[in-house]
Amino acid sequence: MINAEHLTKRYGSRLAVDDVSFNCRPGRVTGFLGPNGAGKSTVMRMLCALTAPSTGRSLVLGHPFRELRNPGHQVGVLLDASAQHGGRTGREMLSVSAQLMRLPAGRVRQIVDHVGLTAREADARTRTYSLGMRQRLGLAHALLGDPQVLILDEPANGLDPAGIRWMRGLLRSFADAGGTVLLSSHLLHEVEAMADDLVIIGNGRILAQGSADQLLAVPGTRVQSLDNDGLLAELIAAGHAADATSDGVSTGASVVDVGRIALAGGIVLIDLRPAEAFGLEELFFDMTAQHGRDEVAA
Amino acid sequence: MSILTAPAQRLEPAVRQSVEEHGIPFARLCLVELRKQIDTRAGLWLLIVIGLVNTGLIVLTLTTAPPAELTWANLTNAASMGQLVLLPLIGVMAATSEWSQRTALTSFALEPRRTRVNLAKLASAGVLGLIVMSLTLVAGALMNVIGIVFRGGDGSWAMDWPVLGGAALALLILVAQGVAFGLALLSTPIAIVAYLALPTVWTILTLFISGLAEPARWLDLNVTLLPIMLGAEVSATGWAQLATSVAVWVGLPLLVGLWRTARRDVA
């Protein structure tokens, strides 16, 4: 459970995060989506008490993060996979945290295996790691204390397609076991594939939030017939929104309704299909177009 | 790398239960901070260099000093210079590396009470100083035996405890100064240069500007530490002068550092 309540962060006169509120529920993966510089990382750092909000507050598992005792057992955090001491080995980095959390001896090896790092890779200094290996190490660190909540900033960044598929499975099973996952990304397809809920942010403000199904569902039908004008008139007469397109009719009516109306009107359909789902991509670009980096640069 | 989709392996329920709810004990925090000071390449090499410098000094004494001066106390003393100069740098790095290597992102996500983490760094750096000091005693003893056997040395086992205690106290103060400078400046190179240069510049200034001679007796650690390191009888004024200089050179940067790191945004 994560609750962000009116989080606002001001750097001088610049509002980096502006009145951001959302909830992440157990059993669900929440995708935190926005272009670079939208304020995702700042929000996530505020959730973990690493950055103090100017106003507003946030709760993790019902408590402010700062009040969690031994939080590694409750919240797995990966905010920047590159933020590792380059002179430490991956295994040592995990062992230090395991000692701090007082985890049993075999836990580090178990988790190293789980994220798919070889023993040899784990024993190398993190300076030599590729970004993908750093992400796996960071994820291992987040999972180490067997937490109920995961907060992951761009965890799929630097992973190859197989790695992304692997991570999707891992987060899915974590959520299915009752865990709460918040992951950010600026890559739409990653989130589209992984998230149950979406929070879309641009220029520090929340632009949309809700279940992915709900945000992605675009009702409607595209249809071609031998009498497009007649069909258009019948649809409007039946109380549906409808427009003529270059080669047919676009309407808010369902496929079934369009079929029935055409049958009743004796109109021959030659093509009938649901309007293509918008896809998160268009939603994303629509919503962030005026809020993206272009404007910031101007 | 394999593709796994199995659920994350859960901890045994018994293990979960044994994990205390009321936070990480300070002693464990100190142990972990101690480990972090010596498990990096930089930390390890600093310790190795301290060992080499001490060995060099002790061998020099062993081979060149008159046999009558080859005692446990003298050999231990000769070997103590390395840590006095170099061990505070481990203190500096303990404080700065969290920020320069950005491990603060993970450290403070595991223990959000930052001042507690910083105090554990301070305590563990002191413990490391005492461990190194003890090892020096052992090395001094070994060399004393070698002195007896090969150079017909005096070989006295009488330890000059005031000198040793003074050296240990001086080491603790300097290590604390290293941690304090690290916390206040949060950059390894800047903190190391400041730690090494500022007190020296101050000492040089006091030598050239006669008006500073009197304040220096209260405010120059190099001056105020001298009596205790020589094992001399320290007067009440001497202790007051030491306390004043420690407050300025250790206490002040430590407070600035604790205040700064407690509120700083971690990025």
Side-chain angles (χ1 to χ4, degrees), chain A:
Chain A
M1 278 273 274
I2 302 171
N3 314 97
E5 299 172 5
H6 307 290
L7 285 175
T8 299
K9 181 67 180 181
R10 193 181 289 279
Y11 292 109
S13 63
R14 194 173 73 85
L15 259 183
V17 175
D18 184 4
D19 194 28
V20 165
S21 301
F22 60 87
N23 298 313
C24 304
R25 288 180 286 156
R28 296 182 74 88
V29 176
T30 303
F32 194 25
L33 190 60
N36 291 324
K40 300 186 298 290
S41 299
T42 308
V43 168
M44 293 180 116
R45 289 201 303 268
M46 287 194 280
L47 293 177
C48 300
L50 293 167
T51 292
S54 304
T55 58
R57 64 164 196 166
S58 59
L59 302 176
V60 178
L61 292 166
H63 302 280
F65 193 96
R66 211 176 272 278
E67 286 172 19
L68 295 175
R69 294 292 168 255
N70 216 336
H73 287 283
Q74 299 160 67
V75 192
V77 175
L78 170 58
L79 293 182
D80 187 341
S82 298
Q84 297 298 344
H85 197 299
R88 234 173 239 138
T89 68
R91 190 186 304 284
E92 173 65 13
M93 178 263 185
L94 294 171
S95 300
V96 166
S97 294
Q99 185 185 356
L100 193 64
M101 289 187 253
R102 210 171 72 182
L103 297 172
R107 181 64 177 170
V108 167
R109 208 176 60 191
Q110 193 184 47
I111 214 76
V112 163
D113 288 346
H114 183 65
V115 300
L117 286 173
T118 64
R120 194 177 178 167
E121 288 165 338
D123 287 328
R125 294 185 195 274
T126 62
R127 181 178 292 126
T128 65
Y129 278 28
S130 68
L131 182 54
M133 284 160 70
R134 284 167 201 261
Q135 293 285 17
R136 284 174 190 262
L137 177 64
L139 206 63
H141 189 262
L143 292 168
L144 194 59
D146 191 16
Q148 296 138 266
V149 175
L150 286 178
I151 297 177
L152 312 170
D153 196 358
E154 300 273 0
N157 199 6
L159 289 182
D160 52 23
I164 290 178
R165 206 176 73 185
W166 160 80
M167 174 168 297
R168 186 193 314 162
L170 188 148
L171 297 182
R172 185 74 267 152
S173 59
F174 182 89
D176 288 345
T180 307
V181 181
L182 174 65
L183 86 150
S184 75
S185 179
H186 65 284
L187 296 177
L188 311 148
H189 294 295
E190 273 172 25
V191 170
E192 198 170 12
M194 288 189 211
D196 306 307
D197 294 317
L198 292 174
V199 176
I200 301 177
I201 183 173
N203 213 12
R205 272 191 297 277
I206 289 196
L207 302 175
Q209 59 177 317
S211 78
D213 293 343
Q214 184 192 333
L215 284 175
L216 295 174
V218 179
T221 302
R222 295 175 71 87
V223 58
Q224 290 180 48
S225 70
L226 295 180
D227 178 10
N228 287 332
D229 292 340
L231 182 60
L232 184 62
E234 296 276 356
L235 284 167
I236 290 170
H240 295 291
D243 280 310
T245 63
S246 57
D247 54 358
V249 176
S250 166
T251 171
S254 71
V255 176
V256 174
D257 288 341
V258 174
R260 291 220 168 94
I261 288 165
L263 178 64
I267 297 168
V268 179
L269 299 184
I270 55 174
D271 185 17
L272 174 66
R273 57 197 150 103
E276 271 165 45
F278 242 116
L280 200 46
E281 192 156 0
E282 280 179 56
L283 176 71
F284 181 71
F285 282 129
D286 268 12
M287 291 187 162
T288 57
Q290 313 94 304
H291 299 274
R293 301 196 60 82
D294 293 346
E295 190 191 59
V296 175

Side-chain angles (χ1 to χ4, degrees), chain B residues 26-75:
Chain B
F26 188 69
R28 200 196 303 156
L29 207 51
C30 291
L31 271 179
V32 166
E33 287 300 332
L34 182 59
R35 179 174 182 170
K36 281 159 68 178
Q37 282 165 36
I38 55 185
D39 73 351
T40 66
R41 189 170 274 188
L44 187 66
W45 274 104
L46 253 179
L47 280 183
I48 290 173
V49 168
I50 289 172
L52 289 176
V53 168
N54 284 355
T55 308
L57 289 169
I58 215 167
V59 167
L60 197 70
T61 309
L62 197 61
T63 50
T64 60
E69 287 176 19
L70 293 179
T71 65
W72 188 29
N74 281 345
L75 287 165

